[in-house]
Amino acid sequence: MDIRVRNIVKDYGRTAALEGVSLDIASGELVALLGPSGSGKTTLLRIIAGLDVPTSGQVFFGEEDASHTPVQDRNVGFVFQSYALFKHMTVLENIGFGLSVRDGKTRPSAGEIRRRSMELLDLVQLSGLEKRYPGQLSGGQRQRVALARALAVEPRVLLLDEPFGALDAKVRKDLRRWLREIHERTGHTTVFVTHDQDEALELADRVAVLNHGKIEQIGTPDTIYDRPETPFVFRFIGESHAVPVMVHDGKVWLAGQPILMAAGGLSEGPAALHLRPHDVEFAAHAGDALPARILSVRRSGPTRRAEIRLSDVEAVFEIDAPAALTVKPGEERPVRILRGRVFPV
Amino acid sequence: MRSVVPGFGVALGLTLALLTAIVLLPLAALVLRASELGFAGVAKLAMEPRIFAALKTSFGLSLAAAVVNGVFGVITAWVLVRYRFPGRRLLDAAVDLPFALPTAVAGIALAALYAPNGWVGSLFAPYDIKIAYTPVGIFIALVFVGLPFVVRTVQPVLAEAEHEIEEAAATLGAGRIRTILRVLLPPLTPAILTGVAMSFARGVGEYGSVIFIAGNIPYVSEIAPLLIVVKLEEYDYAGATAIALTMLTASFLILLGLNALGSWSRRRYGVVR
Amino acid sequence: MSDSPLRAVAPPLVPSATLTRAASTVRLRPATEDPPVLKYVLIAVAVLFLALFLVLPLVAVFVEAFRKGAEAYWTSLQDEDAVAAIKLTLTVAAIAVPVNIVFGIAAAWCIAKFEFPGKSLLVSLIDLPFSVSPVVAGLVYVLLFGAQGLMGPTMKAYGIEVIFAVPGIVLATIFVTLPFVARELIPLMEEQGTTDEEAALSLGAGGLKTFMRVTLPNIKWGLLYGVLLCNARAMGEFGAVSVVSGHIRGVTNTMPLQVEVLYNEYNAVAAFTIASLLALLALVTLALKALLEWRYADEIAGTHRR
């Protein structure tokens, strides 16, 4: 089932949580809503579910305008950050709850509810734990029960709020892979909220980056990482540093030198060059490189990370240095800018 | 592990000394007196028709009042926690009135209200319905004294219930009433039962608020605590002791049951966040 | 420099006129909100129930007290026995409340700040008076100190009267109010732990100084809360006191007992006059209690915070 969100505005009193958000999600797609806290990502998810009522705007499930359908009738599967399992029910009763509260005709028989709940329990790899209570499960197990419970109602769309937020790092990674597998097997249209960029990039078909109640950019993980459209997306995805530059005569100037970048579409005047650590390298000799001084060096995984200061501008940033290269703090060494994004200031 | 904080000996000594002198020693006197009677003696006295009738009145009406308090207490707690309306704080404070108002004051006020010529009693008098000076009057007084227990045990549990539990039920298709009955109320059961049991225990021992409205007719509207007073006035210490011991045993069993209930629900539901 | 923005938005498939109409007709309720009908019915039930059972009796007390006018009220108040009852009630509370404070602080100190075997038993024993009928509380003192009691004859030989005298009333009052302060302080002091005290001790403060300067300021509002409830019960206690007092007018009648005596003599106005003073005490207690819960929420025990 494809989902379309149209011009959603949500005001909480005076402050706006969402300022006109529109989003199309294709059937079977796995989409991440990524953003810092307060960006409105959870509010958007809750509005799609029908848990929150937007101030204005519409939500479509396929051709159907679901904007005025109460949450009970929207047929969504929602997994809460805290899981919100029913503590007084066993695992099996939790999973079967959605089916057992259906009205007369549409309610399956008790045996059928049990059979389907057991099937889902198997899907989430918790067979044998059906008689346990949520209090007797680990965090990761609870998460799986919450997912099975949401899937049991055969939802039109699966919505997950920070699905791995409450788990420790190791369990997070395992569950991430496992969720991807489940998605591939069941083919549900899935939307999940996260503040963790790694999680969003690794798991999602497409990522929508939210900031201050607006979608800054939406695209595949590659697009988002390689071609960020706004300074915010650049900063939020991966490490980055900004260096002041000038746009003049169709060229980008840094410290009085034109650098290897076209300034198409940018207006004349000051701008900001955004760089990731691997966008800059140490040059063998001065030539067209920029003079710089190394401030400090530290180990970072397979490479070393050097903090440098460009000699002619007030700009400090970090670059990756190959482990084979000997660099020392205090040393003068020219650098060459390979890539980067220029945004108006 | 030894603590560096001083004063343990003094504090414990003072606590035990006062507790022993004020509570334990006098209660021991009761047990000692009862032991002179023996189990059979106490049982025989408790089965004496007038005493038995009084115990039945006290326990039966307390149970009825506790159940009514269970229903209205849960509704009151729900209203106080879930809704915002003008006067809510005042209503909340009023719940504690039975804790704060001396029982004798409540007793004469209830008697005046429910007497055939009182504000409420006069509404029923034309239909030949008597409230004061009958077991119904006792029941009303017991509802009065027991109400705060249920409200005050259920209120904090309800306030801490996760909002998301209800939302989860809603996304799974459960309507509002069904969510309340199947998702919200079951976890409250231990708190409700605790409140009902406390209300019941208080009712069994209640004296001041009941005696003015009860009419105190032997075999009909005479409560067990009053009969203790009557027996004392007749210098029938054995009878008084037998009634007291039966009541104490009952409240002890209720406390035991409450503890068992608490640990059962903790074992079953664990501590889930 | 930047790529052309991805098309995140597709044109709506439904004509916008249809959407606007739908938007104006239905108002969605948030998922956790009750239907208004249910909400108002439940509020009405709770308000009516509390009004009928709790507020009406309170109103009745004042109405009955002034039934024959303010003058009769003042006359009843100035009655010699009434004044004696008020004095006795104040005296009893003046003894019982300090004993309670001492007991409450001592009990909370050893239970909250230390680990020792039998601790949970001690906690249960402290709660015991709450589960004993007030009449039984009076009875045990009669059995102990009465004329036929275990220690009665011995006491009498030394000229000490307990039963049908003020000491019995004080003892019975202490019995029924004993848990109040302790119950308030134990959870509060457990929450606070021992770090503040350890810090003070490490800075060189002595035990007493640590208590006065560190512990006491931390628990003062909780203590006041306990004292408030204890005082209300001490002044209003009826059952336990009734058994040991002997109802001697002007001598062993506390205010609640005087209420009973007057009421049984069909002197309703006088009975309700004294009752109105006690009701006033209850109202003041409730108001102060609400104030403490509201103003000092973080400094009283967790169960009272709203």
Side-chain angles (χ1 to χ4, degrees):
Chain A
M1 173 92 29
D2 61 308
I3 300 165
R4 286 170 301 127
V5 171
R6 284 286 167 281
N7 300 315
I8 293 285
V9 173
K10 175 72 179 174
D11 294 330
Y12 284 117
R14 272 188 203 150
T15 56
L18 291 173
E19 303 177 339
V21 168
S22 295
L23 174 68
D24 279 23
I25 295 158
S27 189
E29 210 178 3
L30 179 53
V31 169
L33 302 179
L34 173 67
S37 59
S39 59
K41 54 190 193 301
T42 296
T43 307
L44 180 57
L45 193 78
R46 290 172 57 88
I47 285 173
I48 295 173
L51 289 170
D52 274 347
V53 185
T55 312
S56 67
Q58 282 100 35
V59 176
F60 293 90
F61 284 13
E63 298 299 304
E64 176 201 332
D65 181 0
S67 310
H68 303 283
T69 311
V71 51
Q72 286 89 349
D73 304 330
R74 282 199 193 187
N75 198 15
V76 296
F78 200 105
V79 177
F80 291 84
Q81 185 173 5
S82 65
Y83 318 133
L85 295 178
F86 307 131
K87 290 172 206 145
H88 60 288
M89 297 184 197
T90 62
V91 165
L92 204 66
E93 286 165 346
N94 262 284
I95 298 175
F97 180 84
L99 295 174
S100 74
V101 295
R102 285 198 182 162
D103 284 325
K105 274 188 191 160
T106 52
R107 183 171 62 227
S109 67
E112 175 65 9
I113 293 176
R114 192 186 151 77
R115 194 187 61 75
R116 276 156 74 174
S117 304
M118 290 299 274
E119 235 173 64
L120 279 160
L121 202 61
D122 193 43
L123 179 75
V124 299
Q125 299 162 4
L126 289 177
S127 303
L129 298 186
E130 62 268 19
K131 287 192 184 130
R132 296 269 187 95
Y133 285 91
Q136 302 164 324
L137 300 179
S138 73
Q141 289 171 329
R142 281 180 211 163
Q143 161 73 280
R144 288 158 189 246
V145 174
L147 184 68
R149 185 179 68 177
L151 289 172
V153 294
E154 288 157 1
R156 298 193 283 184
V157 51
L158 186 60
L159 306 167
L160 304 102
D161 186 10
E162 294 275 5
F164 313 115
L167 301 169
D168 58 51
K170 172 80 178 74
V171 182
R172 273 176 101 112
K173 288 228 152 156
D174 291 349
L175 276 178
R176 237 188 246 175
R177 197 173 309 124
W178 169 82
L179 181 66
R180 181 84 229 181
E181 279 168 32
I182 295 252
H183 177 256
E184 273 156 18
R185 278 171 66 183
T186 60
H188 280 102
T189 308
T190 305
V191 183
F192 74 98
V193 155
T194 181
H195 65 272
D196 181 335
Q197 30 141 331
D198 289 342
E199 205 165 280
L201 296 178
E202 189 184 317
L203 205 50
D205 295 326
R206 282 197 302 151
V207 178
V209 184
L210 277 92
N211 186 34
H212 293 310
K214 284 184 180 142
I215 292 186
E216 293 256 340
Q217 186 176 358
I218 176 158
T220 61
D222 287 343
T223 313
I224 295 283
Y225 192 85
D226 295 333
R227 283 171 289 162
E229 281 167 13
T230 66
F232 173 79
V233 176
F234 203 111
R235 276 198 311 273
F236 194 69
I237 309 286
E239 288 178 87
S240 78
H241 294 88
V243 178
V245 291
M246 287 297 285
V247 176
H248 181 62
D249 262 356
K251 282 180 181 156
V252 180
W253 299 75
L254 174 58
Q257 286 191 45
I259 49 173
L260 297 168
M261 241 166 279
L266 286 163
S267 52
E268 299 267 309
L273 171 63
H274 287 248
L275 298 165
R276 299 208 194 281
H278 61 263
D279 289 343
V280 184
E281 67 173 20
F282 287 113
H285 43 78
D288 57 346
L290 300 158
R293 168 193 281 273
I294 296 167
L295 299 178
S296 68
V297 182
R298 61 190 162 80
R299 187 76 195 190
S300 167
T303 61
R304 276 174 304 162
R305 189 59 66 79
E307 192 186 18
I308 63 160
R309 180 203 293 276
L310 288 182
S311 304
D312 301 326
V313 276
E314 279 305 303
V316 173
F317 55 92
E318 291 187 338
I319 68 175
D320 282 339
L325 193 70
T326 339
V327 283
K328 288 196 199 82
E331 200 180 342
E332 300 279 350
R333 216 175 239 274
V335 294
R336 183 186 293 122
I337 291 167
L338 303 171
R339 293 168 293 266
R341 308 280 289 187
V342 182
F343 294 103
V345 182
Chain B
M1 195 185 73
R2 283 198 62 83
S3 174
V4 293
V5 180
F8 176 67
V10 177
L12 188 66
L14 207 56
T15 306
L16 288 178
L18 272 169
L19 197 62
T20 308
I22 302 286
V23 179
L24 301 181
L25 218 58
L27 281 176
L30 177 77
V31 177
L32 201 69
R33 175 69 71 158
S35 69
E36 289 166 13
L37 297 169
F39 178 77
V42 171
K44 189 164 162 263
L45 280 166
M47 295 304 285
E48 196 181 277
R50 186 174 170 189
I51 295 178
F52 187 72
L55 287 169
K56 214 168 74 179
T57 303
S58 274
F59 281 96
L61 290 172
S62 295
L63 188 64
V67 169
V68 166
N69 275 329
V71 175
F72 286 95
V74 170
I75 293 176
T76 306
W78 179 268
V79 165
L80 289 176
V81 172
R82 305 304 293 258
Y83 304 145
R84 291 293 170 269
F85 54 94
R88 187 184 64 92
R89 279 184 163 278
L90 204 64
L91 198 69
D92 195 356
V95 169
D96 282 331
L97 200 62
F99 284 160
L101 196 67
T103 54
V105 177
I108 63 167
L110 288 170
L113 278 177
Y114 290 91
N117 60 350
W119 294 348
V120 182
S122 62
L123 299 178
F124 291 90
Y127 307 101
D128 260 345
I129 300 171
K130 262 186 86 180
I131 298 176
Y133 320 127
T134 71
V136 184
I138 301 177
F139 167 79
I140 285 175
L142 294 180
V143 170
F144 173 86
V145 295
L147 179 71
F149 290 100
V150 179
V151 180
R152 292 301 184 228
T153 46
V154 172
Q155 214 175 359
V157 184
L158 195 56
E160 272 182 20
E162 270 180 288
H163 222 55
E164 293 187 337
I165 293 286
E166 290 162 68
E167 294 188 339
T171 61
L172 294 168
R176 193 64 193 146
I177 305 283
R178 219 193 294 250
T179 301
I180 292 173
L181 294 181
R182 283 196 53 186
V183 174
L184 287 173
L185 285 185
L188 292 180
T189 315
I192 297 172
L193 287 179
T194 304
V196 168
M198 285 165 77
S199 166
F200 172 69
R202 170 73 197 256
V204 170
E206 182 54 27
Y207 177 70
S209 58
V210 176
I211 54 162
F212 297 100
I213 198 174
N216 308 325
I217 308 154
Y219 303 101
V220 179
S221 62
E222 189 174 55
I223 53 166
L226 176 75
L227 199 52
I228 293 180
V229 175
V230 171
K231 294 282 174 196
L232 274 179
E233 278 165 5
E234 293 167 356
Y235 298 103
D236 178 5
Y237 285 18
T241 305
I243 303 169
L245 201 72
T246 314
M247 285 167 57
L248 272 182
T249 312
S251 37
F252 177 72
L253 289 177
I254 292 167
L255 272 185
L256 215 64
L258 277 182
N259 283 337
L261 184 75
S263 58
W264 171 79
S265 77
R266 265 193 305 278
R267 251 201 329 277
R268 179 161 168 186
Y269 303 138
V271 185
V272 192
R273 273 286 117 192
Chain C
M1 177 75 232
S2 68
D3 297 289
S4 69
L6 276 173
R7 283 194 72 82
V9 180
L13 299 179
V14 186
S16 57
T18 332
L19 300 178
T20 336
R21 191 158 41 81
S24 57
T25 46
V26 197
R27 197 194 76 86
L28 265 190
R29 232 180 323 114
T32 53
E33 210 170 89
D34 292 337
V37 179
L38 180 67
K39 176 176 163 175
Y40 292 120
V41 166
L42 288 181
I43 291 179
V45 168
V47 168
L48 279 177
F49 183 74
L50 293 189
L52 183 65
F53 277 91
L54 303 185
V55 181
L56 205 57
L58 187 69
V59 174
V61 170
F62 291 100
V63 172
E64 294 290 337
F66 286 100
R67 185 163 288 265
K68 296 205 173 130
E71 206 164 312
Y73 185 86
W74 286 118
T75 314
S76 314
L77 215 52
Q78 283 156 2
D79 177 79
E80 209 176 289
D81 293 340
V83 173
I86 294 170
K87 277 186 185 157
L88 180 59
T89 293
L90 292 175
T91 311
V92 170
I95 301 168
V97 172
V99 171
N100 247 288
I101 294 175
V102 171
F103 176 79
I105 289 175
W109 184 263
C110 52
I111 286 167
K113 309 271 177 192
F114 301 91
E115 290 301 326
F116 56 94
K119 188 159 125 172
S120 61
L121 178 70
L122 183 61
V123 174
S124 311
L125 287 178
I126 288 172
D127 270 349
L128 196 60
F130 275 172
S131 48
V132 172
S133 167
V135 171
V136 176
L139 168 72
V140 294
Y141 285 105
V142 174
L143 293 181
L144 195 61
F145 297 119
Q148 303 171 39
L150 291 170
M151 291 162 70
T154 325
M155 304 287 263
K156 191 150 185 109
Y158 287 98
I160 305 169
E161 294 278 358
V162 178
I163 300 305
F164 304 150
V166 176
I169 296 173
V170 172
L171 282 174
T173 304
I174 295 174
F175 183 106
V176 295
T177 55
L178 202 63
F180 276 104
V181 175
R183 260 199 161 182
E184 195 54 43
L185 291 185
I186 290 169
L188 181 63
M189 283 165 76
E190 272 174 347
E191 253 173 65
Q192 291 173 344
T194 54
T195 42
D196 284 11
E197 283 78 16
E198 282 163 3
L201 291 164
S202 75
L203 293 169
L208 195 63
K209 205 164 223 167
T210 301
F211 176 77
M212 298 302 286
R213 302 262 308 261
V214 176
T215 311
L216 204 55
N218 276 343
I219 61 166
K220 61 174 184 265
W221 298 114
L223 182 63
L224 188 62
Y225 192 97
V227 166
L228 202 62
L229 299 181
C230 170
N231 179 62
R233 179 72 191 264
M235 290 192 173
E237 178 50 31
F238 177 68
V241 169
S242 170
V243 172
V244 295
S245 121
H247 296 86
I248 307 161
R249 303 189 82 154
V251 182
T252 62
N253 267 359
T254 60
M255 287 165 77
L257 296 178
Q258 185 71 8
V259 168
E260 183 195 18
V261 168
L262 291 169
Y263 189 82
N264 287 343
E265 288 171 351
Y266 301 101
N267 193 348
V269 169
F272 278 104
T273 298
I274 299 181
S276 73
L277 292 183
L278 290 166
L280 213 57
L281 168 76
L283 286 177
V284 171
T285 303
L286 285 185
L288 288 176
K289 183 171 165 292
L291 182 75
L292 282 179
E293 279 164 9
W294 170 67
R295 178 72 185 78
Y296 299 103
D298 294 340
E299 295 164 67
I300 56 178
T303 47
H304 308 302
R305 288 173 202 156
R306 312 228 175 90

